Amino acid sequence: MNWMEIVSALALVMFIIVLLPVTRNMMKNSAKGTSADWMGFVIPVVVIFLFVMFLVKLV
């Protein structure tokens, strides 16, 4: 391992240590989605997925 890989690994570990408590707090205090909210998310994702699959078939 060279020094750049060691510094990158240390930075990654520090990000995880710093962000984990913040993430837990955000997940605990976040608003809960209704089924209408989820459908508003799922429908565009499915449409985009189908469009990408269509483009792949054209190639």
Side-chain angles (χ1 to χ4, degrees):
M1 288 183 89
N2 60 13
W3 66 272
M4 194 68 165
E5 292 174 348
I6 294 171
V7 170
S8 298
L10 288 174
L12 180 63
V13 169
M14 286 180 55
F15 283 134
I16 291 172
I17 290 172
V18 169
L19 292 178
L20 190 61
V22 175
T23 305
R24 283 188 192 154
N25 186 24
M26 288 175 68
M27 292 294 290
K28 192 186 307 181
N29 297 324
S30 66
K32 304 299 179 214
T34 63
S35 63
D37 294 335
W38 282 107
M39 288 308 290
F41 168 75
V42 169
I43 290 173
V45 169
V46 169
V47 169
I48 292 169
F49 176 76
L50 291 174
F51 181 69
V52 169
M53 294 309 294
F54 173 71
L55 291 176
V56 168
K57 283 290 204 184
L58 288 177
V59 172

Short mmCIF file of all heavy atoms in Angstrom, two decimals:
data_model
loop_
_atom_site.label_atom_id
_atom_site.label_comp_id
_atom_site.label_asym_id
_atom_site.label_seq_id
_atom_site.Cartn_x
_atom_site.Cartn_y
_atom_site.Cartn_z
N MET A 1 0.84 -1.19 0.00
CA MET A 1 0.00 0.00 0.00
C MET A 1 0.88 1.25 0.00
O MET A 1 1.82 1.33 0.77
CB MET A 1 -0.89 0.04 1.24
CG MET A 1 -2.02 -0.95 1.26
SD MET A 1 -3.05 -0.76 2.73
CE MET A 1 -4.21 0.43 2.14
N ASN A 2 0.52 2.17 -0.83
CA ASN A 2 1.26 3.43 -0.80
C ASN A 2 0.53 4.42 0.10
O ASN A 2 -0.56 4.16 0.60
CB ASN A 2 1.48 3.98 -2.21
CG ASN A 2 0.18 4.26 -2.93
OD1 ASN A 2 -0.87 4.28 -2.33
ND2 ASN A 2 0.28 4.47 -4.22
N TRP A 3 1.11 5.59 0.26
CA TRP A 3 0.57 6.57 1.21
C TRP A 3 -0.78 7.10 0.76
O TRP A 3 -1.62 7.44 1.59
CB TRP A 3 1.57 7.69 1.42
CG TRP A 3 1.80 8.53 0.19
CD1 TRP A 3 2.71 8.30 -0.79
CD2 TRP A 3 1.09 9.70 -0.18
NE1 TRP A 3 2.61 9.26 -1.74
CE2 TRP A 3 1.62 10.15 -1.41
CE3 TRP A 3 0.06 10.43 0.41
CZ2 TRP A 3 1.15 11.27 -2.06
CZ3 TRP A 3 -0.41 11.56 -0.25
CH2 TRP A 3 0.13 11.97 -1.46
N MET A 4 -1.05 7.15 -0.55
CA MET A 4 -2.32 7.68 -1.04
C MET A 4 -3.47 6.73 -0.68
O MET A 4 -4.57 7.19 -0.31
CB MET A 4 -2.24 7.85 -2.55
CG MET A 4 -3.33 8.67 -3.11
SD MET A 4 -3.15 10.35 -2.54
CE MET A 4 -4.22 11.16 -3.65
N GLU A 5 -3.25 5.44 -0.76
CA GLU A 5 -4.28 4.47 -0.39
C GLU A 5 -4.56 4.51 1.10
O GLU A 5 -5.71 4.39 1.54
CB GLU A 5 -3.86 3.07 -0.81
CG GLU A 5 -3.82 2.88 -2.31
CD GLU A 5 -3.27 1.54 -2.71
OE1 GLU A 5 -2.69 0.84 -1.84
OE2 GLU A 5 -3.39 1.19 -3.89
N ILE A 6 -3.52 4.70 1.91
CA ILE A 6 -3.69 4.78 3.36
C ILE A 6 -4.48 6.02 3.74
O ILE A 6 -5.42 5.96 4.55
CB ILE A 6 -2.31 4.76 4.06
CG1 ILE A 6 -1.64 3.40 3.84
CG2 ILE A 6 -2.46 5.05 5.55
CD1 ILE A 6 -0.21 3.34 4.30
N VAL A 7 -4.17 7.15 3.13
CA VAL A 7 -4.90 8.39 3.41
C VAL A 7 -6.35 8.27 2.97
O VAL A 7 -7.27 8.71 3.67
CB VAL A 7 -4.21 9.59 2.73
CG1 VAL A 7 -5.06 10.84 2.80
CG2 VAL A 7 -2.84 9.84 3.36
N SER A 8 -6.59 7.65 1.82
CA SER A 8 -7.96 7.45 1.34
C SER A 8 -8.75 6.56 2.29
O SER A 8 -9.91 6.83 2.58
CB SER A 8 -7.95 6.84 -0.06
OG SER A 8 -7.33 7.69 -0.97
N ALA A 9 -8.13 5.49 2.77
CA ALA A 9 -8.81 4.60 3.70
C ALA A 9 -9.11 5.31 5.02
O ALA A 9 -10.21 5.14 5.58
CB ALA A 9 -7.95 3.36 3.95
N LEU A 10 -8.18 6.09 5.52
CA LEU A 10 -8.42 6.85 6.75
C LEU A 10 -9.54 7.87 6.57
O LEU A 10 -10.37 8.05 7.47
CB LEU A 10 -7.14 7.53 7.21
CG LEU A 10 -6.05 6.63 7.77
CD1 LEU A 10 -4.78 7.43 8.05
CD2 LEU A 10 -6.53 5.94 9.04
N ALA A 11 -9.58 8.54 5.42
CA ALA A 11 -10.64 9.51 5.16
C ALA A 11 -11.99 8.82 5.11
O ALA A 11 -12.98 9.33 5.64
CB ALA A 11 -10.36 10.25 3.85
N LEU A 12 -12.06 7.65 4.48
CA LEU A 12 -13.31 6.90 4.41
C LEU A 12 -13.79 6.50 5.79
O LEU A 12 -14.98 6.65 6.12
CB LEU A 12 -13.13 5.66 3.53
CG LEU A 12 -14.34 4.78 3.34
CD1 LEU A 12 -15.44 5.53 2.63
CD2 LEU A 12 -13.97 3.53 2.57
N VAL A 13 -12.90 6.03 6.63
CA VAL A 13 -13.27 5.64 7.99
C VAL A 13 -13.74 6.86 8.78
O VAL A 13 -14.73 6.79 9.51
CB VAL A 13 -12.08 4.94 8.70
CG1 VAL A 13 -12.34 4.77 10.18
CG2 VAL A 13 -11.81 3.59 8.04
N MET A 14 -13.08 7.99 8.61
CA MET A 14 -13.50 9.21 9.33
C MET A 14 -14.88 9.67 8.88
O MET A 14 -15.70 10.09 9.70
CB MET A 14 -12.47 10.32 9.12
CG MET A 14 -11.20 10.11 9.90
SD MET A 14 -9.96 11.40 9.66
CE MET A 14 -10.87 12.85 10.08
N PHE A 15 -15.17 9.60 7.56
CA PHE A 15 -16.49 9.97 7.07
C PHE A 15 -17.56 9.08 7.68
O PHE A 15 -18.63 9.55 8.08
CB PHE A 15 -16.55 9.89 5.55
CG PHE A 15 -15.90 11.04 4.85
CD1 PHE A 15 -15.06 10.81 3.79
CD2 PHE A 15 -16.12 12.34 5.25
CE1 PHE A 15 -14.45 11.86 3.13
CE2 PHE A 15 -15.52 13.40 4.61
CZ PHE A 15 -14.68 13.17 3.55
N ILE A 16 -17.29 7.79 7.75
CA ILE A 16 -18.26 6.85 8.32
C ILE A 16 -18.50 7.17 9.79
O ILE A 16 -19.64 7.20 10.26
CB ILE A 16 -17.80 5.40 8.12
CG1 ILE A 16 -17.86 5.05 6.63
CG2 ILE A 16 -18.63 4.44 8.95
CD1 ILE A 16 -17.25 3.72 6.28
N ILE A 17 -17.43 7.42 10.53
CA ILE A 17 -17.56 7.71 11.97
C ILE A 17 -18.33 9.00 12.20
O ILE A 17 -19.17 9.09 13.09
CB ILE A 17 -16.16 7.76 12.63
CG1 ILE A 17 -15.56 6.37 12.68
CG2 ILE A 17 -16.23 8.36 14.02
CD1 ILE A 17 -14.11 6.33 13.13
N VAL A 18 -18.09 10.01 11.38
CA VAL A 18 -18.75 11.31 11.55
C VAL A 18 -20.20 11.25 11.10
O VAL A 18 -21.09 11.81 11.75
CB VAL A 18 -17.98 12.41 10.80
CG1 VAL A 18 -18.77 13.69 10.74
CG2 VAL A 18 -16.63 12.65 11.46
N LEU A 19 -20.48 10.59 9.99
CA LEU A 19 -21.81 10.63 9.40
C LEU A 19 -22.78 9.61 10.00
O LEU A 19 -23.99 9.80 9.88
CB LEU A 19 -21.72 10.42 7.89
CG LEU A 19 -21.05 11.54 7.12
CD1 LEU A 19 -20.99 11.20 5.65
CD2 LEU A 19 -21.77 12.85 7.33
N LEU A 20 -22.31 8.55 10.62
CA LEU A 20 -23.21 7.53 11.16
C LEU A 20 -24.17 8.07 12.21
O LEU A 20 -25.38 7.83 12.11
CB LEU A 20 -22.40 6.34 11.69
CG LEU A 20 -23.20 5.11 12.05
CD1 LEU A 20 -23.92 4.57 10.82
CD2 LEU A 20 -22.30 4.04 12.62
N PRO A 21 -23.73 8.82 13.23
CA PRO A 21 -24.68 9.34 14.21
C PRO A 21 -25.69 10.33 13.59
O PRO A 21 -26.87 10.33 13.96
CB PRO A 21 -23.81 10.05 15.24
CG PRO A 21 -22.45 9.50 15.07
CD PRO A 21 -22.35 9.10 13.64
N VAL A 22 -25.23 11.13 12.65
CA VAL A 22 -26.13 12.09 12.00
C VAL A 22 -27.19 11.35 11.20
O VAL A 22 -28.37 11.71 11.22
CB VAL A 22 -25.31 13.05 11.10
CG1 VAL A 22 -26.24 13.97 10.34
CG2 VAL A 22 -24.32 13.83 11.93
N THR A 23 -26.78 10.30 10.52
CA THR A 23 -27.72 9.50 9.72
C THR A 23 -28.75 8.83 10.61
O THR A 23 -29.94 8.80 10.27
CB THR A 23 -26.95 8.46 8.92
OG1 THR A 23 -25.96 9.11 8.14
CG2 THR A 23 -27.87 7.68 8.01
N ARG A 24 -28.33 8.28 11.73
CA ARG A 24 -29.28 7.65 12.66
C ARG A 24 -30.31 8.66 13.15
O ARG A 24 -31.51 8.36 13.22
CB ARG A 24 -28.54 7.07 13.86
CG ARG A 24 -27.86 5.78 13.58
CD ARG A 24 -27.33 5.19 14.87
NE ARG A 24 -26.43 4.09 14.57
CZ ARG A 24 -25.47 3.71 15.37
NH1 ARG A 24 -25.27 4.33 16.52
NH2 ARG A 24 -24.70 2.70 15.05
N ASN A 25 -29.86 9.86 13.49
CA ASN A 25 -30.77 10.89 13.97
C ASN A 25 -31.75 11.29 12.88
O ASN A 25 -32.95 11.46 13.14
CB ASN A 25 -29.98 12.11 14.45
CG ASN A 25 -30.86 13.14 15.09
OD1 ASN A 25 -31.94 12.84 15.59
ND2 ASN A 25 -30.40 14.38 15.08
N MET A 26 -31.28 11.45 11.66
CA MET A 26 -32.16 11.82 10.56
C MET A 26 -33.20 10.73 10.28
O MET A 26 -34.36 11.03 9.99
CB MET A 26 -31.34 12.11 9.30
CG MET A 26 -30.55 13.39 9.37
SD MET A 26 -29.48 13.65 7.96
CE MET A 26 -30.68 13.89 6.68
N MET A 27 -32.79 9.47 10.35
CA MET A 27 -33.73 8.38 10.10
C MET A 27 -34.78 8.29 11.20
O MET A 27 -35.95 8.01 10.94
CB MET A 27 -32.97 7.04 10.00
CG MET A 27 -32.09 6.94 8.79
SD MET A 27 -33.00 6.91 7.25
CE MET A 27 -33.76 5.32 7.34
N LYS A 28 -34.37 8.55 12.44
CA LYS A 28 -35.30 8.47 13.56
C LYS A 28 -36.34 9.59 13.52
O LYS A 28 -37.51 9.39 13.84
CB LYS A 28 -34.52 8.54 14.88
CG LYS A 28 -35.37 8.18 16.08
CD LYS A 28 -34.62 8.38 17.40
CE LYS A 28 -33.29 7.66 17.40
NZ LYS A 28 -32.57 7.85 18.68
N ASN A 29 -35.94 10.78 13.09
CA ASN A 29 -36.81 11.95 13.13
C ASN A 29 -37.39 12.34 11.77
O ASN A 29 -37.91 13.44 11.61
CB ASN A 29 -36.04 13.14 13.70
CG ASN A 29 -35.62 12.90 15.12
OD1 ASN A 29 -36.34 12.27 15.89
ND2 ASN A 29 -34.44 13.36 15.47
N SER A 30 -37.32 11.45 10.79
CA SER A 30 -37.82 11.79 9.46
C SER A 30 -39.33 11.56 9.37
O SER A 30 -39.92 10.82 10.14
CB SER A 30 -37.12 10.95 8.40
OG SER A 30 -37.47 9.59 8.56
N ALA A 31 -39.94 12.23 8.40
CA ALA A 31 -41.38 12.08 8.18
C ALA A 31 -41.64 10.73 7.50
O ALA A 31 -40.84 10.27 6.68
CB ALA A 31 -41.89 13.20 7.30
N LYS A 32 -42.74 10.11 7.83
CA LYS A 32 -43.11 8.83 7.24
C LYS A 32 -43.91 9.09 5.97
O LYS A 32 -44.78 9.94 5.92
CB LYS A 32 -43.94 8.00 8.22
CG LYS A 32 -43.26 7.76 9.55
CD LYS A 32 -41.97 7.00 9.37
CE LYS A 32 -41.28 6.79 10.71
NZ LYS A 32 -39.86 6.82 10.64
N GLY A 33 -43.61 8.32 4.93
CA GLY A 33 -44.29 8.49 3.65
C GLY A 33 -45.59 7.71 3.59
O GLY A 33 -45.72 6.63 4.15
N THR A 34 -46.57 8.27 2.89
CA THR A 34 -47.83 7.57 2.67
C THR A 34 -47.71 6.75 1.40
O THR A 34 -46.73 6.83 0.66
CB THR A 34 -48.98 8.58 2.53
OG1 THR A 34 -48.75 9.38 1.38
CG2 THR A 34 -49.09 9.46 3.76
N SER A 35 -48.74 5.96 1.11
CA SER A 35 -48.70 5.14 -0.10
C SER A 35 -48.72 6.02 -1.34
O SER A 35 -48.12 5.68 -2.37
CB SER A 35 -49.86 4.15 -0.11
OG SER A 35 -51.09 4.83 -0.15
N ALA A 36 -49.39 7.18 -1.28
CA ALA A 36 -49.40 8.09 -2.41
C ALA A 36 -47.99 8.66 -2.66
O ALA A 36 -47.59 8.83 -3.82
CB ALA A 36 -50.39 9.23 -2.17
N ASP A 37 -47.26 8.94 -1.59
CA ASP A 37 -45.89 9.41 -1.74
C ASP A 37 -45.03 8.35 -2.41
O ASP A 37 -44.23 8.66 -3.29
CB ASP A 37 -45.29 9.77 -0.37
CG ASP A 37 -45.96 10.96 0.27
OD1 ASP A 37 -46.52 11.79 -0.46
OD2 ASP A 37 -45.92 11.04 1.52
N TRP A 38 -45.19 7.10 -1.98
CA TRP A 38 -44.39 6.03 -2.56
C TRP A 38 -44.74 5.78 -4.02
O TRP A 38 -43.87 5.51 -4.84
CB TRP A 38 -44.55 4.74 -1.75
CG TRP A 38 -43.73 4.78 -0.49
CD1 TRP A 38 -44.18 4.92 0.77
CD2 TRP A 38 -42.31 4.73 -0.40
NE1 TRP A 38 -43.12 4.95 1.65
CE2 TRP A 38 -41.97 4.83 0.96
CE3 TRP A 38 -41.29 4.60 -1.34
CZ2 TRP A 38 -40.66 4.82 1.39
CZ3 TRP A 38 -39.98 4.58 -0.90
CH2 TRP A 38 -39.67 4.69 0.45
N MET A 39 -46.02 5.89 -4.37
CA MET A 39 -46.40 5.71 -5.77
C MET A 39 -45.84 6.85 -6.62
O MET A 39 -45.48 6.63 -7.78
CB MET A 39 -47.92 5.62 -5.91
CG MET A 39 -48.50 4.32 -5.38
SD MET A 39 -47.72 2.85 -6.03
CE MET A 39 -48.28 2.88 -7.70
N GLY A 40 -45.77 8.03 -6.08
CA GLY A 40 -45.16 9.14 -6.79
C GLY A 40 -43.68 8.95 -7.02
O GLY A 40 -43.09 9.57 -7.90
N PHE A 41 -43.06 8.09 -6.25
CA PHE A 41 -41.66 7.75 -6.43
C PHE A 41 -41.49 6.55 -7.36
O PHE A 41 -40.63 6.53 -8.23
CB PHE A 41 -41.01 7.47 -5.07
CG PHE A 41 -39.65 6.85 -5.16
CD1 PHE A 41 -38.56 7.62 -5.51
CD2 PHE A 41 -39.47 5.51 -4.89
CE1 PHE A 41 -37.30 7.05 -5.60
CE2 PHE A 41 -38.21 4.93 -4.98
CZ PHE A 41 -37.13 5.71 -5.33
N VAL A 42 -42.32 5.52 -7.16
CA VAL A 42 -42.16 4.26 -7.88
C VAL A 42 -42.50 4.42 -9.37
O VAL A 42 -41.78 3.89 -10.22
CB VAL A 42 -43.03 3.16 -7.23
CG1 VAL A 42 -43.09 1.92 -8.09
CG2 VAL A 42 -42.49 2.82 -5.85
N ILE A 43 -43.55 5.13 -9.68
CA ILE A 43 -43.98 5.24 -11.08
C ILE A 43 -42.89 5.89 -11.96
O ILE A 43 -42.55 5.32 -13.01
CB ILE A 43 -45.33 5.98 -11.18
CG1 ILE A 43 -46.43 5.08 -10.61
CG2 ILE A 43 -45.64 6.37 -12.62
CD1 ILE A 43 -47.78 5.74 -10.49
N PRO A 44 -42.30 7.02 -11.59
CA PRO A 44 -41.22 7.57 -12.44
C PRO A 44 -40.01 6.64 -12.54
O PRO A 44 -39.38 6.55 -13.59
CB PRO A 44 -40.85 8.89 -11.77
CG PRO A 44 -42.04 9.26 -10.97
CD PRO A 44 -42.66 7.98 -10.54
N VAL A 45 -39.67 5.95 -11.46
CA VAL A 45 -38.53 5.04 -11.50
C VAL A 45 -38.80 3.90 -12.48
O VAL A 45 -37.93 3.52 -13.27
CB VAL A 45 -38.21 4.50 -10.09
CG1 VAL A 45 -37.21 3.36 -10.15
CG2 VAL A 45 -37.68 5.62 -9.21
N VAL A 46 -40.00 3.34 -12.47
CA VAL A 46 -40.36 2.27 -13.39
C VAL A 46 -40.35 2.78 -14.82
O VAL A 46 -39.85 2.10 -15.73
CB VAL A 46 -41.72 1.65 -13.01
CG1 VAL A 46 -42.22 0.73 -14.10
CG2 VAL A 46 -41.62 0.92 -11.68
N VAL A 47 -40.87 3.97 -15.05
CA VAL A 47 -40.89 4.54 -16.41
C VAL A 47 -39.45 4.74 -16.91
O VAL A 47 -39.14 4.41 -18.06
CB VAL A 47 -41.68 5.86 -16.43
CG1 VAL A 47 -41.49 6.60 -17.74
CG2 VAL A 47 -43.15 5.59 -16.17
N ILE A 48 -38.59 5.27 -16.08
CA ILE A 48 -37.19 5.46 -16.47
C ILE A 48 -36.52 4.12 -16.75
O ILE A 48 -35.78 3.97 -17.73
CB ILE A 48 -36.43 6.26 -15.40
CG1 ILE A 48 -36.96 7.69 -15.35
CG2 ILE A 48 -34.93 6.24 -15.64
CD1 ILE A 48 -36.47 8.49 -14.18
N PHE A 49 -36.77 3.13 -15.91
CA PHE A 49 -36.20 1.80 -16.11
C PHE A 49 -36.66 1.21 -17.44
O PHE A 49 -35.84 0.68 -18.21
CB PHE A 49 -36.60 0.88 -14.95
CG PHE A 49 -36.14 -0.54 -15.13
CD1 PHE A 49 -34.82 -0.88 -14.93
CD2 PHE A 49 -37.03 -1.52 -15.52
CE1 PHE A 49 -34.39 -2.19 -15.11
CE2 PHE A 49 -36.62 -2.83 -15.70
CZ PHE A 49 -35.29 -3.16 -15.50
N LEU A 50 -37.95 1.31 -17.74
CA LEU A 50 -38.46 0.79 -19.00
C LEU A 50 -37.88 1.53 -20.20
O LEU A 50 -37.56 0.92 -21.23
CB LEU A 50 -39.99 0.84 -19.02
CG LEU A 50 -40.68 -0.12 -18.05
CD1 LEU A 50 -42.18 0.13 -18.07
CD2 LEU A 50 -40.36 -1.56 -18.38
N PHE A 51 -37.71 2.84 -20.07
CA PHE A 51 -37.12 3.63 -21.15
C PHE A 51 -35.67 3.21 -21.39
O PHE A 51 -35.24 3.06 -22.54
CB PHE A 51 -37.21 5.12 -20.82
CG PHE A 51 -36.63 6.00 -21.88
CD1 PHE A 51 -37.25 6.12 -23.11
CD2 PHE A 51 -35.46 6.71 -21.64
CE1 PHE A 51 -36.71 6.94 -24.10
CE2 PHE A 51 -34.92 7.51 -22.61
CZ PHE A 51 -35.54 7.63 -23.85
N VAL A 52 -34.91 3.01 -20.34
CA VAL A 52 -33.52 2.58 -20.48
C VAL A 52 -33.46 1.19 -21.11
O VAL A 52 -32.63 0.93 -21.98
CB VAL A 52 -32.79 2.62 -19.12
CG1 VAL A 52 -31.44 1.93 -19.19
CG2 VAL A 52 -32.64 4.04 -18.64
N MET A 53 -34.35 0.29 -20.69
CA MET A 53 -34.38 -1.04 -21.29
C MET A 53 -34.73 -0.96 -22.77
O MET A 53 -34.18 -1.70 -23.59
CB MET A 53 -35.36 -1.95 -20.54
CG MET A 53 -34.96 -2.25 -19.11
SD MET A 53 -33.26 -2.85 -18.93
CE MET A 53 -33.37 -4.40 -19.76
N PHE A 54 -35.63 -0.06 -23.14
CA PHE A 54 -35.97 0.16 -24.54
C PHE A 54 -34.75 0.63 -25.33
O PHE A 54 -34.48 0.16 -26.43
CB PHE A 54 -37.12 1.17 -24.63
CG PHE A 54 -37.45 1.59 -26.03
CD1 PHE A 54 -38.06 0.71 -26.92
CD2 PHE A 54 -37.14 2.86 -26.47
CE1 PHE A 54 -38.35 1.09 -28.21
CE2 PHE A 54 -37.42 3.26 -27.76
CZ PHE A 54 -38.03 2.36 -28.64
N LEU A 55 -34.00 1.57 -24.76
CA LEU A 55 -32.80 2.07 -25.43
C LEU A 55 -31.75 0.97 -25.57
O LEU A 55 -31.07 0.89 -26.60
CB LEU A 55 -32.22 3.25 -24.67
CG LEU A 55 -33.05 4.54 -24.69
CD1 LEU A 55 -32.38 5.59 -23.81
CD2 LEU A 55 -33.22 5.05 -26.10
N VAL A 56 -31.63 0.11 -24.59
CA VAL A 56 -30.67 -0.99 -24.66
C VAL A 56 -31.07 -1.95 -25.78
O VAL A 56 -30.21 -2.47 -26.51
CB VAL A 56 -30.57 -1.71 -23.30
CG1 VAL A 56 -29.80 -3.01 -23.43
CG2 VAL A 56 -29.90 -0.79 -22.27
N LYS A 57 -32.35 -2.21 -25.91
CA LYS A 57 -32.84 -3.11 -26.96
C LYS A 57 -32.56 -2.54 -28.35
O LYS A 57 -32.36 -3.29 -29.30
CB LYS A 57 -34.34 -3.35 -26.82
CG LYS A 57 -34.69 -4.32 -25.74
CD LYS A 57 -34.26 -5.70 -26.16
CE LYS A 57 -35.09 -6.72 -25.43
NZ LYS A 57 -34.65 -8.06 -25.73
N LEU A 58 -32.55 -1.20 -28.50
CA LEU A 58 -32.28 -0.60 -29.80
C LEU A 58 -30.84 -0.74 -30.24
O LEU A 58 -30.54 -0.66 -31.43
CB LEU A 58 -32.66 0.89 -29.76
CG LEU A 58 -34.15 1.21 -29.74
CD1 LEU A 58 -34.33 2.71 -29.64
CD2 LEU A 58 -34.86 0.67 -30.95
N VAL A 59 -29.95 -0.94 -29.31
CA VAL A 59 -28.52 -1.00 -29.65
C VAL A 59 -28.13 -2.34 -30.14
O VAL A 59 -28.47 -3.35 -30.08
CB VAL A 59 -27.66 -0.63 -28.44
CG1 VAL A 59 -26.19 -0.87 -28.73
CG2 VAL A 59 -27.90 0.80 -28.04
#
